[in-house]
């Protein structure tokens, strides 16, 4: 039977490439996103063309009931979830002087509470199977901090604490939990930045290029594979050496 990967926020960007990587490796995919758009259809077609099954599970991960439904739909269709990738994330960047309480809570609710909501619903199934991999997408700014991102950096630092705690809780059940901390990756999240800002970021990257979603997807896949079966509670940076 094919394995199943549930990837939150997988309609585009990094999540989409993670879904494509797992599909190439023969996984059936649970595709989640919050707002429907043409790109969702394109992504679903692309994944299906790789010969695997795709379950479309629209839903807001910051809502506990919707998260429950996403997981229930996945179990109904495939009977199991072997890999969970908590990837859905948003930014609402601004300096604290201008940051509204809702800018702070919205980012925490999607990025951090959303990670809890989906994980909480998936873990019982993994525990029953005594097997599973959970990979949480953090960010290097969760380690370093970044002016203008106190909401986002707090959410991503929170994901690191969550990952390590869960890794300790679940290791005895053979469920491995790790985080990936991308640096600067080319997606619609970073498209909004001015060219001059992108150029100055590039100068801080020893590998001298901006990362691609595939760079992150390959590392996520490694953390789901047999090759990483002695790795848990870690934060793997995928940043071209930007933060070391
Ligand atoms: P993106 O904006 O291109 O994609 C985000 C995805 O999340 C979309 O599929 C969107 O539908 C989904 N999403 C947003 N809110 C959601 C919600 N409430 N419920 C369910 N799905 C929701 O972003 P990206 O650049 O691909 O980022 C993916 C992840 O990688 C995020 O967690 C982001 O914080 C992290 N990250 C990105 C970078 C970067 O440079 N792009 C760097 C570090 C970390």
């Amino acid at each position: 039977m094919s394995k199943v990967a549930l990837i939150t926020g997988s309609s585009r960007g990094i999540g989409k490439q993670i879904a494509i990587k797992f599909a190439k490796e023969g996984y059936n995919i649970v595709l989640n996103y919050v707002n429907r758009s043409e790109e969702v259809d394109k992504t679903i077609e692309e994944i299906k063309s790789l010969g695997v099954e795709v379950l479309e599970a629209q839903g807001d991960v910051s809502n506990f009931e919707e998260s429950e439904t996403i997981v229930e739909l996945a179990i109904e269709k495939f009977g199991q979830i072997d890999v969970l990738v908590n990837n859905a994330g948003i930014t609402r960047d601004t300096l604290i002087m201008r940051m509204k309480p809702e800018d702070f809570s919205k980012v925490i609710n999607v990025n951090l509470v959303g990670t809890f909501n989906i994980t909480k619903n998936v873990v019982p199934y993994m525990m029953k199977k005594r097997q599973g991999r959970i990979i949480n997408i953090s960010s290097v700014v969760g380690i370093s901090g970044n002016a203008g991102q106190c909401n986002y950096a707090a959410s991503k630092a929170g994901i690191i604490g969550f990952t390590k705690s869960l890794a300790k809780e679940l290791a005895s059940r053979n469920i491995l939990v790790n985080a990936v901390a991308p640096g600067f990756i080319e997606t619609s999240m970073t498209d909004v930045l001015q060219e001059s800002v992108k150029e100055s970021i590039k100068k801080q990257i020893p590998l001298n290029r901006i990362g691609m979603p595939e760079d992150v997807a390959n590392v996520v896949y490694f953390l789901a594979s047999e090759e990483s079966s002695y790795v848990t509670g870690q934060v793997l940076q995928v940043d071209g050496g930007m933060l070391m």
Side-chain angles (χ1 to χ4, degrees):
M1 203 157 80
S2 294
K3 286 189 171 182
V4 179
L6 161 53
I7 303 134
T8 65
S10 41
S11 60
R12 64 177 196 213
I14 293 171
K16 173 181 173 177
Q17 283 312 317
I18 295 170
I20 287 174
K21 174 68 184 168
F22 278 83
K24 282 183 179 159
E25 302 292 340
Y27 277 72
N28 289 328
I29 302 297
V30 183
L31 186 117
N32 160 258
Y33 57 88
V34 67
N35 293 317
R36 212 178 198 299
S37 65
E38 266 175 32
E39 67 191 352
V40 174
D41 294 321
K42 260 188 72 189
T43 301
I44 291 173
E45 280 320 305
E46 241 178 280
I47 297 171
K48 278 191 178 159
S49 73
L50 297 165
V52 300
E53 289 188 65
V54 183
L55 170 70
E56 189 180 335
Q58 182 175 11
D60 180 350
V61 298
S62 69
N63 179 303
F64 189 80
E65 283 72 34
E66 289 186 35
S67 300
E68 206 170 18
T69 306
I70 292 165
V71 174
E72 276 169 6
L73 284 173
I75 294 294
E76 232 168 71
K77 174 142 176 91
F78 295 122
Q80 66 194 65
I81 295 166
D82 300 278
V83 176
L84 165 64
V85 185
N86 284 304
N87 165 80
I90 59 164
T91 52
R92 283 207 180 170
D93 298 352
T94 191
L95 298 170
I96 196 155
M97 291 300 284
R98 285 197 213 110
M99 192 175 284
K100 298 191 185 85
E102 55 270 30
D103 294 327
F104 192 82
S105 56
K106 179 79 185 163
V107 170
I108 297 288
N109 284 337
V110 173
N111 299 6
L112 181 57
V113 179
T115 297
F116 165 79
N117 287 344
I118 293 282
T119 306
K120 163 94 181 147
N121 283 293
V122 167
V123 161
Y125 297 101
M126 289 185 170
M127 282 178 91
K128 219 186 276 170
K129 271 194 92 182
R130 290 193 157 265
Q131 188 176 308
R133 299 290 174 98
I134 300 172
I135 299 123
N136 299 322
I137 307 299
S138 177
S139 165
V140 289
V141 308
I143 302 166
S144 65
N146 195 23
Q149 289 197 307
C150 72
N151 50 359
Y152 182 77
S155 75
K156 295 301 185 178
I159 284 176
I160 293 174
F162 178 81
T163 300
K164 292 182 180 182
S165 304
L166 208 61
K168 289 183 176 178
E169 274 185 42
L170 300 177
S172 64
R173 308 298 179 104
N174 193 30
I175 301 167
L176 310 188
V177 190
N178 290 287
V180 169
F184 192 81
I185 311 294
E186 206 174 286
T187 68
S188 44
M189 187 177 271
T190 48
D191 261 1
V192 291
L193 297 174
Q194 288 172 345
E195 274 313 309
S196 57
V197 176
K198 287 190 197 170
E199 272 311 305
S200 85
I201 292 173
K202 201 170 134 190
K203 285 197 189 112
Q204 299 163 34
I205 303 173
L207 286 180
N208 198 33
R209 69 172 174 89
I210 284 169
M212 298 305 291
E214 290 83 348
D215 294 315
V216 180
N218 290 335
V219 173
V220 170
Y221 185 73
F222 164 70
L223 289 172
S225 72
E226 272 314 300
E227 277 67 31
S228 65
S229 57
Y230 200 53
V231 180
T232 195
Q234 301 306 305
V235 184
L236 237 164
Q237 286 174 224
V238 183
D239 65 355
M242 189 164 79
L243 179 73
M244 59 170 124

